[in-house]
Amino acid sequence: SQKIEQNSEALNIQEGKTATLTCNYTNYSPAYLQWYRQDPGRGPVFLLLIRENEKEKRKERLKVTFDTTLKQSLFHITASQPADSATYLCALVTGGSYIPTFGRGTSLIVHP
Amino acid sequence: GAGVSQSPSNKVTEKGKDVELRCDPISGHTALYWYRQSLGQGLEFLIYFQGNSAPDKSGLPSDRFSAERTGGSVSTLTIQRTQQEDSAVYLCASSRSTGFDEQFFGPGTRLTVL
């Protein structure tokens, strides 16, 4: 069956370090993969989209990689700050579809 | 500019009652999605509207759930004869174009069924 896995355990890191979050998937052939940030009591906010033919995408302190062989995306936040503390969701869209499937998200806690 | 708005922000109802949840997408966005999010769960897709096309209802969990989108803008999600398992946060999102694009989410409606 199709599955998207994000680490259910919170990731705790120290301010200034690089946070790396993982999104693994099985039995999907995604055309697009997105990352969103969600704060408590709020809707998700779009961060980055990466296409199947792209290996890496960057935006300011954020970097996303997409390895279709490993069936994995990594989301990096460099020089992390306490304000980066939130839940981060990955979402996959297969070709020909406009409906994303979301992972459950990973909570990131950046300690000052 | 104005983002996606949803109302009410919170709704408490009794089991068996009907509820209506409203979504106002960003003006000009042709695509509109409804999701629900239960505690500790990912976003569960419910229904997708794109322009004047027939909606994709493949995510609706039962025939108690329905949605409409009037004039290509405002959308209403209706849940009839609510059950306790319907308790969740219902999120609406809109996006600009017919191709896959970033989604802009509203703040959600927290539904509690007693």
Side-chain angles (χ1 to χ4, degrees), chain A residues 32 34 36 38 41-47 49 51 89 91 93 97-105, chain B residues 33 35 37 40-43 45 48 50 56 58 91 98-108 110:
Chain A
Y32 306 90
Q34 297 184 324
Y36 288 80
Q38 187 172 24
R42 300 193 168 214
V45 174
F46 171 81
L47 297 174
L49 178 151
R51 293 176 171 79
L89 307 170
V93 180
S97 170
Y98 301 118
I99 299 167
T101 303
F102 283 81
R104 293 187 179 189
Chain B
Y33 302 75
Y35 300 89
Q37 187 174 34
Q41 301 295 311
L43 273 71
F45 164 74
Y48 163 65
Q50 176 55 267
D56 183 328
S58 59
L91 289 157
T98 54
F100 192 69
D101 204 346
E102 67 174 283
Q103 297 179 70
F104 294 81
F105 282 83
R110 180 174 298 278

Side-chain angles (χ1 to χ4, degrees), chain B residues 60-81:
Chain B
L60 294 178
S62 77
D63 58 9
R64 296 187 295 105
F65 288 72
S66 63
E68 61 177 26
R69 188 179 185 191
T70 52
S73 182
V74 171
S75 177
T76 302
L77 177 69
T78 301
I79 309 173
Q80 295 178 308
R81 305 181 301 282

Side-chain angles (χ1 to χ4, degrees), chain B residues 13-62:
Chain B
T13 191
E14 292 178 349
K15 180 181 168 181
K17 302 279 190 185
D18 297 352
V19 295
E20 284 190 353
L21 311 179
R22 177 186 167 106
C23 172
D24 280 272
I26 294 172
S27 176
H29 280 195
T30 59
L32 187 147
Y33 302 75
W34 282 99
Y35 300 89
R36 72 177 175 184
Q37 187 174 34
S38 303
L39 192 63
Q41 301 295 311
L43 273 71
E44 177 189 1
F45 164 74
L46 297 176
I47 189 167
Y48 163 65
F49 295 89
Q50 176 55 267
N52 295 321
S53 303
D56 183 328
K57 306 179 184 180
S58 59
L60 294 178
S62 77

